[in-house]
Amino acid sequence: MAEIRNLTGGRGVDVALEVIGLKETMEQAVQSLAILGRAALAGIADRPIQIVSYSELLGREAEVIGSSDHLLHEIPLLLELARRGSL
């Protein structure tokens, strides 16, 4: 998390995509968000995640989105479309 904050000047990321399905990486995706950021969680986890409601979500006006209808080979295209602002 410190490296993401360092690389973004303390701001965080606009979009975090989690595809591994680990509790830890899902939580990190949310923790890495900037103000008005969006975390898309596509990995399938067998453990619940914990989010600190104010500092990690409400105070940042962030969003957590669940996504389960994409295949692994589609991710590069989806990332490119997001980079272009086409999503």
Side-chain angles (χ1 to χ4, degrees), residues 8-29:
T8 60
R11 186 178 168 283
V13 297
D14 294 323
V15 177
L17 174 63
E18 196 287 333
V19 297
I20 298 172
L22 295 176
K23 174 187 185 302
E24 294 79 9
T25 54
M26 290 181 165
E27 291 170 353
Q28 289 169 352

Side-chain angles (χ1 to χ4, degrees), residues 37-55:
R38 301 174 86 189
L41 308 182
I44 299 171
D46 60 353
R47 295 171 36 208
I49 66 170
Q50 294 182 335
I51 297 171
V52 180
S53 60
Y54 184 75
S55 63

